[in-house]
Amino acid sequence: VGGVRDDGYFIDIGVPQDYRQAQADLARPPLDLARVDKGWTLLLDRDGVINREIQGGYVRNWEEFAFLEGARDAIRLLAGRAGRLLVVSNQRGIGKGLMTDQDLSAIHARMVHQIREAGGRIDGIYYCSSLDDRHPDRKPNPGMAFRARHDFPGMDLSRTIMVGNKPSDMLFGRNAGVYTVFIRTTNPDHPVDHADIDLAFDSLLSFAKAL
């Protein structure tokens, strides 16, 4: 048994009125894009946000990879505003044996190269190839965000935005304790007045221009 003295904020939520007070005291402020600066991190889903998503399939090689219109310009704009741009992507095709880790690395090397040629950058790439939905790194589980925070000690989850095109991306963001931006590219009819979504845009470029 151990104890630590802390003279900071404390509230016991064992009774309803204290629980309600905690909800008010600890509520996160709404996402204000004007506050985003070099101290912020952007987590970008890949398929359907940066490149064309193959419905019911996987991007298995560079020949199947196609940037979405305006995506490279978007990343250039985002790189000028935020401190870190990290890709977080489920890649179940590896777990299914349709491609290898080396295949994915080759795709990402060429993707990053073309982004750099367009004036942008990607500071890190995280992916989960597991077929097990309970795997801590498989979105919507937040493991990839926590791995990124470990790799980038200055990363503050309260100043981080998850940008994705699926409800699971938004839930990943909530589970990681970060803000969320929904991109409507592949799910345009998904309700954006959802508890897991802070803001919504038609494309990565429209988000970048708003930022």
Side-chain angles (χ1 to χ4, degrees):
V1 176
V4 176
R5 174 173 177 169
D6 188 343
D7 295 326
Y9 175 92
F10 172 81
I11 187 168
D12 183 344
I13 59 172
V15 295
Q17 58 266 34
D18 285 346
Y19 174 76
R20 289 191 293 270
Q21 184 63 47
Q23 294 293 94
D25 290 352
L26 303 177
R28 185 173 52 184
L31 175 56
D32 179 3
L33 296 183
R35 294 172 50 226
V36 176
D37 58 20
K38 289 296 184 179
W40 284 65
T41 299
L42 301 181
L43 303 176
L44 307 177
D45 181 42
R46 199 196 74 179
D47 300 331
V49 174
I50 295 175
N51 61 280
R52 179 178 58 86
E53 183 173 78
I54 298 177
Q55 294 295 329
Y58 303 93
V59 177
R60 297 170 298 174
N61 51 61
W62 182 249
E63 288 67 33
E64 295 178 344
F65 185 97
F67 281 102
L68 288 171
E69 183 177 357
R72 279 169 287 190
D73 287 336
I75 294 173
R76 174 179 53 80
L77 294 174
L78 296 174
R81 187 67 181 273
R84 299 175 192 86
L85 274 66
L86 309 175
V87 172
V88 289
S89 178
N90 285 340
Q91 291 293 329
R92 188 173 270 187
I94 295 175
K96 291 182 176 181
L98 302 175
M99 57 191 296
T100 66
D101 291 277
Q102 291 73 24
D103 293 331
L104 186 63
S105 294
I107 293 170
H108 286 160
R110 296 186 71 166
M111 178 188 78
V112 169
H113 176 73
Q114 290 207 11
I115 287 171
R116 286 175 178 165
E117 284 192 328
R121 74 174 195 279
I122 295 294
D123 300 304
I125 297 176
Y126 299 86
Y127 67 91
C128 180
S129 59
S130 176
L131 301 180
D132 185 356
D133 290 338
R134 297 169 298 178
H135 192 287
D137 285 350
R138 180 164 178 79
K139 292 184 289 184
N141 303 320
M144 286 189 284
F146 298 151
R147 285 172 52 203
R149 182 177 61 178
H150 177 270
D151 293 343
F152 295 89
M155 179 177 170
D156 182 351
L157 293 178
S158 70
R159 295 194 293 170
T160 297
I161 303 172
M162 174 61 203
V163 184
N165 64 312
K166 294 185 179 69
S168 60
D169 293 323
M170 302 296 96
L171 183 55
F172 163 84
R174 283 292 180 260
N175 288 338
V178 308
Y179 289 106
T180 60
V181 167
F182 185 71
I183 303 298
R184 298 188 184 95
T185 48
T186 58
N187 294 280
D189 298 325
H190 184 71
V192 296
D193 56 344
H194 192 281
D196 292 340
I197 298 175
D198 290 307
L199 295 173
F201 295 89
D202 289 335
S203 67
L204 187 62
L205 183 59
S206 60
F207 166 59
K209 289 180 176 179
L211 190 61

